[in-house]
Every structure is written in C-alpha cells, then in structure tokens.
Amino acid sequence: MKPAQSISRAVQMESVSKVYGRGSRAVTALRQVSVTISCGSFTAVMGPSGSGKSTFLQCAAGLDSPSSGRVILGGTDLSGMNEDRLARLRRERAGFVFQSYNLMPSLTVTENITLPLRLAGKRADRTWLREVIARTGLADRVRHRPAQLSGGQQQRVAIARALVTRPDVIFADEPTGALDIRTAREILGLLRQAAAEANQAVVMVTHDPMAASYADTVVFLADGEIAGTAAAASQDQIAGRMARLEADR
C-alpha cells in the first residue's frame, strides 16, 4: 500500500473533557484526557460500559466537540472549526469503519468504496483503487451489491472505503462485533496491515480482548479517564485488566 501523508502524529488529544447537560443533570463523559496516536500505529480503546469509549472516538474523529481541551487531527487543530470545515477535514484526513457497515444498498462494491471521493468531487486513483480492492480480497465482488455479500465481505468493503482516500487515521467502532471469530480475525488483520504497511493510524473501540490483542497499544478508560495503557498485550492480559476495571467500579 502507499503511505499516508508525511506527518508523525495522526491524533493528539490535549486535556480533553466532555460534559453533557448542565447543573445537577451534567454528566462528564471524558475528564482531562491527553493522548498522542502516531501514524503507523494500531490503538485499541477499551473500558467498562459508560467509561467514555464512544465519546473518546467521537471527539478524536471530530464528530463531537470537546467541552474543553483540544483535538489535533492529521496536524490540524479542530478548535473552533464549523461543521462544514470539519466535514471536509474528516473526508480528507479520516476513514471510518462501523459495526453496521453503513453501505448504500443500491450501489455496487466499487461504487460504495469510491463514494467518499465522489462526495468530495474527486476522481479515484485507478491504480490505488485496484490495489485497495485486491488487498481487501474483493476483486471478484466489485459488481456485487451489499445484499449479495456476506457480513465479512461487507465489512471488507467498509475497510476499503476507509482506505481509498488515503486518510491519516482510520476510526473503527466495534468493527468485528457482528462477525464470527474467523472473519473477525481476517478483518483485524486487514486493519493491522493498514497501520503497518500504509503508515496509517488505526483507532479502534472494542469490548473484545481478542480484538484488542491485535493492537500495538491498548488504552483503558474508566469513568472518563485514562486508567492505564498496555503495549503488545495478549488476549489473556487484556481480559485480566478489564476484569480488574470492572471489579473496581
């Protein structure tokens, strides 16, 4: 795969807090979170239910604005940007992979993959598109529509769609939650390959220790705060850490 843009830090979160509501009804989802995610890295974000995982991903991706602190995505400070500028930045700097795939049922595989480029008014690089399709194992499915694909194949289309714009960072929200174990491992291998070979950062929210074991680093959240990190951790080590976080609630 071709490299992403030549920056070293894909995402920086500096003292990011997020509060929903006001007064006695205020709920703090993130508390003074600071983290740097480098290009070429695969980071998993884990924590008990209500720990702030989804809010972390939404703020890091520019899908939600922090109450305080700042987020730098692909070298660009998101502070004060309006929604139009944020939308353009997300198209250029970020790719998204969700559990629900979010494919357009009336479009073919190729059309779904290139949809972000079409929305941005750009032409696909045909050489790069062929490489992405080959890497994701979709070469014999390019004319199929989502209803003609298995769940694993649909998730491959979503990953190809995330890769085709050459983003600095791919955000994945429970990307293997609806897949069987074999297909999940294939999808996780593709995400790890994107980080290792394309110098793209992958940030994945997951509840699954097996999925998190594919990451270079696991960031653990508890009550909206970073409760620790683990590098090159095994599935059993991650599961043990999660069990301790659950027990401390």
PDB file of all heavy atoms in Angstrom, residues 200-223:
ATOM      1  N   GLN A 200      -0.724   4.377   8.259  1.00  0.00           N
ATOM      2  CA  GLN A 200      -1.955   4.991   8.747  1.00  0.00           C
ATOM      3  C   GLN A 200      -2.183   4.567  10.194  1.00  0.00           C
ATOM      4  O   GLN A 200      -1.889   3.437  10.575  1.00  0.00           O
ATOM      5  CB  GLN A 200      -3.137   4.560   7.880  1.00  0.00           C
ATOM      6  CG  GLN A 200      -3.075   5.127   6.472  1.00  0.00           C
ATOM      7  CD  GLN A 200      -4.016   4.398   5.524  1.00  0.00           C
ATOM      8  OE1 GLN A 200      -4.016   3.182   5.458  1.00  0.00           O
ATOM      9  NE2 GLN A 200      -4.806   5.158   4.781  1.00  0.00           N
ATOM     10  N   ALA A 201      -2.705   5.466  10.982  1.00  0.00           N
ATOM     11  CA  ALA A 201      -3.076   5.107  12.344  1.00  0.00           C
ATOM     12  C   ALA A 201      -4.455   4.458  12.323  1.00  0.00           C
ATOM     13  O   ALA A 201      -5.326   4.855  11.547  1.00  0.00           O
ATOM     14  CB  ALA A 201      -3.095   6.338  13.235  1.00  0.00           C
ATOM     15  N   VAL A 202      -4.636   3.465  13.176  1.00  0.00           N
ATOM     16  CA  VAL A 202      -5.947   2.853  13.371  1.00  0.00           C
ATOM     17  C   VAL A 202      -6.314   3.028  14.836  1.00  0.00           C
ATOM     18  O   VAL A 202      -5.529   2.680  15.727  1.00  0.00           O
ATOM     19  CB  VAL A 202      -5.938   1.358  13.003  1.00  0.00           C
ATOM     20  CG1 VAL A 202      -7.296   0.728  13.322  1.00  0.00           C
ATOM     21  CG2 VAL A 202      -5.598   1.168  11.525  1.00  0.00           C
ATOM     22  N   VAL A 203      -7.489   3.587  15.081  1.00  0.00           N
ATOM     23  CA  VAL A 203      -8.010   3.756  16.441  1.00  0.00           C
ATOM     24  C   VAL A 203      -9.310   2.968  16.513  1.00  0.00           C
ATOM     25  O   VAL A 203     -10.274   3.292  15.816  1.00  0.00           O
ATOM     26  CB  VAL A 203      -8.261   5.234  16.785  1.00  0.00           C
ATOM     27  CG1 VAL A 203      -8.782   5.363  18.215  1.00  0.00           C
ATOM     28  CG2 VAL A 203      -7.000   6.051  16.601  1.00  0.00           C
ATOM     29  N   MET A 204      -9.322   1.930  17.331  1.00  0.00           N
ATOM     30  CA  MET A 204     -10.458   1.013  17.376  1.00  0.00           C
ATOM     31  C   MET A 204     -11.046   0.934  18.780  1.00  0.00           C
ATOM     32  O   MET A 204     -10.344   0.605  19.736  1.00  0.00           O
ATOM     33  CB  MET A 204     -10.006  -0.381  16.938  1.00  0.00           C
ATOM     34  CG  MET A 204     -11.087  -1.464  17.045  1.00  0.00           C
ATOM     35  SD  MET A 204     -10.489  -3.120  16.575  1.00  0.00           S
ATOM     36  CE  MET A 204      -9.359  -3.478  17.946  1.00  0.00           C
ATOM     37  N   VAL A 205     -12.333   1.228  18.902  1.00  0.00           N
ATOM     38  CA  VAL A 205     -13.056   0.990  20.141  1.00  0.00           C
ATOM     39  C   VAL A 205     -13.593  -0.435  20.107  1.00  0.00           C
ATOM     40  O   VAL A 205     -14.196  -0.861  19.113  1.00  0.00           O
ATOM     41  CB  VAL A 205     -14.218   1.993  20.303  1.00  0.00           C
ATOM     42  CG1 VAL A 205     -15.193   1.528  21.378  1.00  0.00           C
ATOM     43  CG2 VAL A 205     -13.683   3.365  20.640  1.00  0.00           C
ATOM     44  N   THR A 206     -13.346  -1.189  21.167  1.00  0.00           N
ATOM     45  CA  THR A 206     -13.824  -2.557  21.227  1.00  0.00           C
ATOM     46  C   THR A 206     -14.043  -2.973  22.679  1.00  0.00           C
ATOM     47  O   THR A 206     -13.442  -2.410  23.592  1.00  0.00           O
ATOM     48  CB  THR A 206     -12.834  -3.518  20.546  1.00  0.00           C
ATOM     49  OG1 THR A 206     -13.377  -4.847  20.566  1.00  0.00           O
ATOM     50  CG2 THR A 206     -11.481  -3.513  21.254  1.00  0.00           C
ATOM     51  N   HIS A 207     -14.894  -3.972  22.856  1.00  0.00           N
ATOM     52  CA  HIS A 207     -15.080  -4.587  24.175  1.00  0.00           C
ATOM     53  C   HIS A 207     -14.421  -5.962  24.216  1.00  0.00           C
ATOM     54  O   HIS A 207     -14.425  -6.621  25.254  1.00  0.00           O
ATOM     55  CB  HIS A 207     -16.571  -4.731  24.486  1.00  0.00           C
ATOM     56  CG  HIS A 207     -17.241  -5.769  23.622  1.00  0.00           C
ATOM     57  ND1 HIS A 207     -17.627  -5.507  22.320  1.00  0.00           N
ATOM     58  CD2 HIS A 207     -17.549  -7.063  23.853  1.00  0.00           C
ATOM     59  CE1 HIS A 207     -18.161  -6.598  21.797  1.00  0.00           C
ATOM     60  NE2 HIS A 207     -18.128  -7.558  22.705  1.00  0.00           N
ATOM     61  N   ASP A 208     -13.845  -6.393  23.093  1.00  0.00           N
ATOM     62  CA  ASP A 208     -13.363  -7.756  22.920  1.00  0.00           C
ATOM     63  C   ASP A 208     -11.850  -7.850  23.130  1.00  0.00           C
ATOM     64  O   ASP A 208     -11.086  -7.296  22.329  1.00  0.00           O
ATOM     65  CB  ASP A 208     -13.727  -8.225  21.512  1.00  0.00           C
ATOM     66  CG  ASP A 208     -13.366  -9.681  21.247  1.00  0.00           C
ATOM     67  OD1 ASP A 208     -12.790 -10.333  22.138  1.00  0.00           O
ATOM     68  OD2 ASP A 208     -13.673 -10.159  20.140  1.00  0.00           O
ATOM     69  N   PRO A 209     -11.391  -8.542  24.167  1.00  0.00           N
ATOM     70  CA  PRO A 209      -9.948  -8.681  24.385  1.00  0.00           C
ATOM     71  C   PRO A 209      -9.216  -9.320  23.209  1.00  0.00           C
ATOM     72  O   PRO A 209      -8.059  -8.994  22.938  1.00  0.00           O
ATOM     73  CB  PRO A 209      -9.859  -9.560  25.639  1.00  0.00           C
ATOM     74  CG  PRO A 209     -11.132  -9.298  26.367  1.00  0.00           C
ATOM     75  CD  PRO A 209     -12.162  -9.140  25.284  1.00  0.00           C
ATOM     76  N   MET A 210      -9.872 -10.244  22.504  1.00  0.00           N
ATOM     77  CA  MET A 210      -9.234 -10.842  21.332  1.00  0.00           C
ATOM     78  C   MET A 210      -8.953  -9.782  20.277  1.00  0.00           C
ATOM     79  O   MET A 210      -7.855  -9.709  19.721  1.00  0.00           O
ATOM     80  CB  MET A 210     -10.114 -11.950  20.751  1.00  0.00           C
ATOM     81  CG  MET A 210      -9.491 -12.704  19.557  1.00  0.00           C
ATOM     82  SD  MET A 210      -9.635 -11.842  17.953  1.00  0.00           S
ATOM     83  CE  MET A 210     -11.406 -11.998  17.658  1.00  0.00           C
ATOM     84  N   ALA A 211      -9.937  -8.936  20.002  1.00  0.00           N
ATOM     85  CA  ALA A 211      -9.746  -7.868  19.016  1.00  0.00           C
ATOM     86  C   ALA A 211      -8.649  -6.910  19.468  1.00  0.00           C
ATOM     87  O   ALA A 211      -7.779  -6.521  18.686  1.00  0.00           O
ATOM     88  CB  ALA A 211     -11.059  -7.122  18.799  1.00  0.00           C
ATOM     89  N   ALA A 212      -8.668  -6.547  20.735  1.00  0.00           N
ATOM     90  CA  ALA A 212      -7.681  -5.599  21.251  1.00  0.00           C
ATOM     91  C   ALA A 212      -6.270  -6.159  21.201  1.00  0.00           C
ATOM     92  O   ALA A 212      -5.294  -5.405  21.100  1.00  0.00           O
ATOM     93  CB  ALA A 212      -8.032  -5.197  22.677  1.00  0.00           C
ATOM     94  N   SER A 213      -6.126  -7.488  21.226  1.00  0.00           N
ATOM     95  CA  SER A 213      -4.791  -8.086  21.209  1.00  0.00           C
ATOM     96  C   SER A 213      -4.078  -7.882  19.882  1.00  0.00           C
ATOM     97  O   SER A 213      -2.863  -8.086  19.792  1.00  0.00           O
ATOM     98  CB  SER A 213      -4.883  -9.583  21.530  1.00  0.00           C
ATOM     99  OG  SER A 213      -5.488 -10.315  20.471  1.00  0.00           O
ATOM    100  N   TYR A 214      -4.798  -7.476  18.840  1.00  0.00           N
ATOM    101  CA  TYR A 214      -4.182  -7.178  17.546  1.00  0.00           C
ATOM    102  C   TYR A 214      -3.522  -5.799  17.544  1.00  0.00           C
ATOM    103  O   TYR A 214      -2.756  -5.486  16.648  1.00  0.00           O
ATOM    104  CB  TYR A 214      -5.225  -7.244  16.431  1.00  0.00           C
ATOM    105  CG  TYR A 214      -5.494  -8.639  15.928  1.00  0.00           C
ATOM    106  CD1 TYR A 214      -6.202  -9.547  16.698  1.00  0.00           C
ATOM    107  CD2 TYR A 214      -5.033  -9.056  14.682  1.00  0.00           C
ATOM    108  CE1 TYR A 214      -6.447 -10.841  16.251  1.00  0.00           C
ATOM    109  CE2 TYR A 214      -5.273 -10.333  14.221  1.00  0.00           C
ATOM    110  CZ  TYR A 214      -5.974 -11.228  15.009  1.00  0.00           C
ATOM    111  OH  TYR A 214      -6.197 -12.504  14.568  1.00  0.00           O
ATOM    112  N   ALA A 215      -3.842  -4.972  18.522  1.00  0.00           N
ATOM    113  CA  ALA A 215      -3.341  -3.600  18.565  1.00  0.00           C
ATOM    114  C   ALA A 215      -1.922  -3.543  19.120  1.00  0.00           C
ATOM    115  O   ALA A 215      -1.503  -4.395  19.904  1.00  0.00           O
ATOM    116  CB  ALA A 215      -4.265  -2.732  19.408  1.00  0.00           C
ATOM    117  N   ASP A 216      -1.198  -2.489  18.729  1.00  0.00           N
ATOM    118  CA  ASP A 216       0.125  -2.232  19.307  1.00  0.00           C
ATOM    119  C   ASP A 216      -0.007  -1.774  20.757  1.00  0.00           C
ATOM    120  O   ASP A 216       0.794  -2.127  21.615  1.00  0.00           O
ATOM    121  CB  ASP A 216       0.851  -1.134  18.517  1.00  0.00           C
ATOM    122  CG  ASP A 216       0.945  -1.447  17.036  1.00  0.00           C
ATOM    123  OD1 ASP A 216       1.302  -2.588  16.701  1.00  0.00           O
ATOM    124  OD2 ASP A 216       0.661  -0.550  16.219  1.00  0.00           O
ATOM    125  N   THR A 217      -1.047  -0.953  20.985  1.00  0.00           N
ATOM    126  CA  THR A 217      -1.270  -0.371  22.312  1.00  0.00           C
ATOM    127  C   THR A 217      -2.745  -0.412  22.649  1.00  0.00           C
ATOM    128  O   THR A 217      -3.592  -0.153  21.784  1.00  0.00           O
ATOM    129  CB  THR A 217      -0.791   1.094  22.354  1.00  0.00           C
ATOM    130  OG1 THR A 217       0.587   1.155  22.007  1.00  0.00           O
ATOM    131  CG2 THR A 217      -0.987   1.702  23.744  1.00  0.00           C
ATOM    132  N   VAL A 218      -3.050  -0.738  23.891  1.00  0.00           N
ATOM    133  CA  VAL A 218      -4.430  -0.680  24.376  1.00  0.00           C
ATOM    134  C   VAL A 218      -4.515   0.459  25.388  1.00  0.00           C
ATOM    135  O   VAL A 218      -3.722   0.525  26.334  1.00  0.00           O
ATOM    136  CB  VAL A 218      -4.871  -1.995  25.039  1.00  0.00           C
ATOM    137  CG1 VAL A 218      -6.336  -1.899  25.464  1.00  0.00           C
ATOM    138  CG2 VAL A 218      -4.664  -3.168  24.095  1.00  0.00           C
ATOM    139  N   VAL A 219      -5.461   1.366  25.176  1.00  0.00           N
ATOM    140  CA  VAL A 219      -5.744   2.440  26.117  1.00  0.00           C
ATOM    141  C   VAL A 219      -6.989   2.058  26.896  1.00  0.00           C
ATOM    142  O   VAL A 219      -8.048   1.807  26.310  1.00  0.00           O
ATOM    143  CB  VAL A 219      -5.967   3.780  25.388  1.00  0.00           C
ATOM    144  CG1 VAL A 219      -6.376   4.872  26.374  1.00  0.00           C
ATOM    145  CG2 VAL A 219      -4.711   4.198  24.634  1.00  0.00           C
ATOM    146  N   PHE A 220      -6.874   1.991  28.219  1.00  0.00           N
ATOM    147  CA  PHE A 220      -8.002   1.626  29.073  1.00  0.00           C
ATOM    148  C   PHE A 220      -8.621   2.888  29.658  1.00  0.00           C
ATOM    149  O   PHE A 220      -7.917   3.746  30.199  1.00  0.00           O
ATOM    150  CB  PHE A 220      -7.541   0.704  30.206  1.00  0.00           C
ATOM    151  CG  PHE A 220      -7.009  -0.621  29.740  1.00  0.00           C
ATOM    152  CD1 PHE A 220      -5.655  -0.816  29.571  1.00  0.00           C
ATOM    153  CD2 PHE A 220      -7.882  -1.667  29.463  1.00  0.00           C
ATOM    154  CE1 PHE A 220      -5.158  -2.039  29.139  1.00  0.00           C
ATOM    155  CE2 PHE A 220      -7.402  -2.891  29.022  1.00  0.00           C
ATOM    156  CZ  PHE A 220      -6.030  -3.084  28.864  1.00  0.00           C
ATOM    157  N   LEU A 221      -9.943   2.986  29.566  1.00  0.00           N
ATOM    158  CA  LEU A 221     -10.683   4.102  30.141  1.00  0.00           C
ATOM    159  C   LEU A 221     -11.533   3.612  31.299  1.00  0.00           C
ATOM    160  O   LEU A 221     -12.068   2.493  31.273  1.00  0.00           O
ATOM    161  CB  LEU A 221     -11.595   4.747  29.102  1.00  0.00           C
ATOM    162  CG  LEU A 221     -10.949   5.463  27.917  1.00  0.00           C
ATOM    163  CD1 LEU A 221     -12.039   5.999  26.987  1.00  0.00           C
ATOM    164  CD2 LEU A 221     -10.053   6.601  28.372  1.00  0.00           C
ATOM    165  N   ALA A 222     -11.689   4.462  32.302  1.00  0.00           N
ATOM    166  CA  ALA A 222     -12.590   4.200  33.418  1.00  0.00           C
ATOM    167  C   ALA A 222     -13.108   5.530  33.930  1.00  0.00           C
ATOM    168  O   ALA A 222     -12.322   6.445  34.193  1.00  0.00           O
ATOM    169  CB  ALA A 222     -11.872   3.450  34.538  1.00  0.00           C
ATOM    170  N   ASP A 223     -14.424   5.674  33.999  1.00  0.00           N
ATOM    171  CA  ASP A 223     -15.048   6.918  34.460  1.00  0.00           C
ATOM    172  C   ASP A 223     -14.535   8.134  33.701  1.00  0.00           C
ATOM    173  O   ASP A 223     -14.335   9.203  34.277  1.00  0.00           O
ATOM    174  CB  ASP A 223     -14.802   7.103  35.961  1.00  0.00           C
ATOM    175  CG  ASP A 223     -15.441   6.004  36.797  1.00  0.00           C
ATOM    176  OD1 ASP A 223     -16.560   5.566  36.434  1.00  0.00           O
ATOM    177  OD2 ASP A 223     -14.828   5.569  37.777  1.00  0.00           O
TER     178      ASP A 223
END
